Amino acid sequence: MSSAQTTIDIATRGAGLYEFTEEARGFVRGSAVETGLLTLFVRHTSCSLLIQENADPDVRRDLDEFFRRLVPPSNDPSMRWMVHTTEGPDDMPAHVKAALTAVSLSIPVMDGRLALGVWQGIYLFEHRDAPHRREVVLHLGS
Amino acid sequence: MSSAQTTIDIATRGAGLYEFTEEARGFVRGSAVETGLLTLFVRHTSCSLLIQENADPDVRRDLDEFFRRLVPPSNDPSMRWMVHTTEGPDDMPAHVKAALTAVSLSIPVMDGRLALGVWQGIYLFEHRDAPHRREVVLHLGS
Amino acid sequence: MSSAQTTIDIATRGAGLYEFTEEARGFVRGSAVETGLLTLFVRHTSCSLLIQENADPDVRRDLDEFFRRLVPPSNDPSMRWMVHTTEGPDDMPAHVKAALTAVSLSIPVMDGRLALGVWQGIYLFEHRDAPHRREVVLHLGS
């Protein structure tokens, strides 16, 4: 088997979780690979990748809220120590949240399908408030 | 070389770290691969993977305690903002702890052996209080 | 394609971020691989890997500061619960910070180049105060 690669564009409309499980599944299906490894890589430093529960939307809401409370905007009184503030109060916290989560993830492909658990969905975790166009590279290898 | 895959079942008895370094080593040894990459993937959203010190058990105790203090149960007064509480006070914090650690990890295989450092052990990090049966997929590729 | 591997040694001089993007690029270039996957693996439990902004150095300064505030030294009054203190007040916090960030990262290689975004640099994140010699294994596979 040789490797296959593609890039997915995700348009975000503010902070939160954006699912792209179906796009990843479609890429694996189109490759006709039976046994392999799908690696996702996000080409940015203020958003990240997350595999989380795709059932109750409150889980995503609470995840997002936890990170907001752990890393408040840099104009919050508790964050006055932050130096990198010129790109907006949500920028430096976005870098921190990205550091606390994942820039790359790998999921085995078994019998032609992603080995995701029943409740696992794949998300882009946007940490900036303004809309952004985000690129995720998908690499399907052996 | 073609890829090899297997699934390891881990029975947990409450929150904490469960080592499975030997199971991973055994899988690599059985494959007779000299140069490759072992990827671990956990099929759940309320437990995660961790490579940490396998020497002093107090390190694991303190790691577990840090995460308990950072993300208290949803019935703790400080966590009253949590919405997803129907599956128990330990459920939503488990999702958060999983998001803060790893769903997948990759370890090079050199000269037929995992390139782990002397003090590195591989652990399933269980975040739920009740016993669970957890699945970790092992993918050994090139 | 067969896999290529190498080990990079990084000498640290206290906590902070040490960039090694150029070393990783050089390894990929030397391999003449057009399409592949580069995986980085750090062989320690008190430092970690991070892909973050390589433009404004204040971003690295603030990242380091965030983690210092989130996980203070074990002789800080707020951390009196820590048990593993014999290796110094910076040791157990170093394990925690390593658990919160990455032990392994994978970056696709497209058209012979790492698919890093424009602002992404690769860093070793040292969490110990004393100088250390750190090993990062690079695995370039398919």
Side-chain angles (χ1 to χ4, degrees):
Chain A
M1 193 204 109
S2 52
S3 315
Q5 294 178 332
T6 194
T7 300
I8 290 181
D9 282 346
I10 300 174
T12 63
R13 307 164 305 277
L17 292 159
Y18 296 81
E19 186 164 15
F20 63 100
T21 316
E22 284 318 307
E23 286 85 338
R25 283 213 174 96
F27 175 61
V28 170
R29 212 178 297 122
S31 73
V33 164
E34 285 296 306
T35 305
L37 186 70
L38 179 72
T39 297
L40 313 171
F41 177 78
V42 67
R43 305 187 67 211
H44 310 276
T45 61
S46 57
C47 65
S48 52
L49 298 173
L50 196 62
I51 288 184
Q52 262 297 334
E53 180 176 313
N54 58 4
D56 182 358
D58 286 340
V59 171
R60 271 109 71 193
R61 185 239 169 243
D62 283 351
L63 274 170
D64 192 53
E65 181 68 16
F66 174 83
F67 282 93
R68 281 174 191 276
R69 286 165 177 264
L70 184 65
V71 200
S74 57
N75 55 6
D76 186 276
S78 69
M79 303 304 270
R80 247 175 260 164
W81 55 267
M82 280 192 166
V83 175
H84 178 82
T85 56
T86 48
E87 294 175 54
D90 62 322
D91 186 61
M92 191 58 225
H95 291 301
V96 173
K97 292 172 194 171
L100 287 167
T101 47
V103 69
S104 72
L105 291 176
S106 294
I107 310 164
V109 174
M110 307 176 91
D111 302 322
R113 300 176 57 180
L114 283 175
L116 289 170
V118 194
W119 309 109
Q120 287 182 312
I122 310 172
Y123 297 87
L124 179 90
F125 197 170
E126 176 61 72
H127 305 302
R128 296 301 307 271
D129 291 339
H132 279 77
R133 182 185 149 273
R134 303 302 200 171
E135 290 183 6
V136 180
V137 179
L138 276 62
H139 174 98
L140 180 55
S142 54
Chain B
M1 193 205 110
S2 52
S3 314
Q5 294 178 332
T6 194
T7 300
I8 290 181
D9 281 346
I10 299 173
T12 63
R13 306 165 305 277
L17 292 161
Y18 296 82
E19 186 164 15
F20 63 100
T21 316
E22 284 318 308
E23 286 86 338
R25 282 213 175 96
F27 174 61
V28 170
R29 211 179 298 119
S31 73
V33 164
E34 284 296 305
T35 305
L37 186 72
L38 179 71
T39 297
L40 314 171
F41 176 79
V42 66
R43 306 186 67 208
H44 310 276
T45 61
S46 56
C47 65
S48 53
L49 298 173
L50 196 60
I51 289 185
Q52 262 298 334
E53 180 176 313
N54 57 4
D56 182 358
D58 286 340
V59 171
R60 271 109 71 195
R61 184 241 171 241
D62 283 351
L63 273 171
D64 192 53
E65 182 67 16
F66 174 84
F67 281 94
R68 282 175 190 276
R69 286 166 178 264
L70 184 65
V71 200
S74 57
N75 55 6
D76 185 275
S78 68
M79 304 304 271
R80 246 174 261 163
W81 53 267
M82 280 192 166
V83 175
H84 178 81
T85 56
T86 47
E87 294 176 53
D90 64 322
D91 186 60
M92 191 58 226
H95 292 301
V96 173
K97 292 172 195 170
L100 287 167
T101 47
V103 70
S104 72
L105 291 176
S106 293
I107 311 163
V109 175
M110 307 175 92
D111 302 322
R113 299 177 58 179
L114 283 175
L116 289 170
V118 194
W119 308 111
Q120 287 182 313
I122 310 171
Y123 297 87
L124 179 90
F125 198 171
E126 176 61 71
H127 306 301
R128 297 300 309 269
D129 291 338
H132 279 77
R133 182 184 150 273
R134 302 303 199 172
E135 288 183 5
V136 180
V137 178
L138 277 61
H139 174 97
L140 180 54
S142 54
Chain C
M1 194 203 108
S2 53
S3 315
Q5 294 178 332
T6 195
T7 301
I8 290 181
D9 281 347
I10 299 173
T12 63
R13 306 165 305 277
L17 292 160
Y18 296 82
E19 186 164 16
F20 64 101
T21 316
E22 283 318 307
E23 286 86 338
R25 282 214 174 96
F27 174 61
V28 169
R29 213 179 295 122
S31 74
V33 164
E34 285 296 306
T35 305
L37 186 71
L38 179 71
T39 297
L40 313 171
F41 177 79
V42 66
R43 306 186 67 209
H44 310 277
T45 61
S46 57
C47 65
S48 52
L49 298 173
L50 195 61
I51 289 184
Q52 261 299 332
E53 181 175 312
N54 58 4
D56 182 358
D58 286 340
V59 171
R60 271 108 72 193
R61 185 241 170 242
D62 284 351
L63 274 170
D64 192 53
E65 182 68 16
F66 174 83
F67 281 94
R68 281 175 191 276
R69 286 166 178 264
L70 184 65
V71 199
S74 58
N75 54 7
D76 186 274
S78 68
M79 304 303 271
R80 245 175 261 162
W81 54 267
M82 279 193 167
V83 175
H84 178 82
T85 57
T86 48
E87 294 176 53
D90 63 322
D91 185 62
M92 191 57 225
H95 292 302
V96 173
K97 291 172 195 172
L100 287 168
T101 47
V103 69
S104 72
L105 291 177
S106 294
I107 310 164
V109 175
M110 307 176 90
D111 302 322
R113 299 176 57 180
L114 283 175
L116 289 170
V118 194
W119 308 110
Q120 288 183 311
I122 310 172
Y123 297 87
L124 178 90
F125 198 172
E126 177 61 72
H127 305 301
R128 296 302 307 271
D129 291 339
H132 279 76
R133 183 183 149 274
R134 302 303 200 171
E135 290 183 5
V136 180
V137 179
L138 275 62
H139 174 98
L140 180 55
S142 54

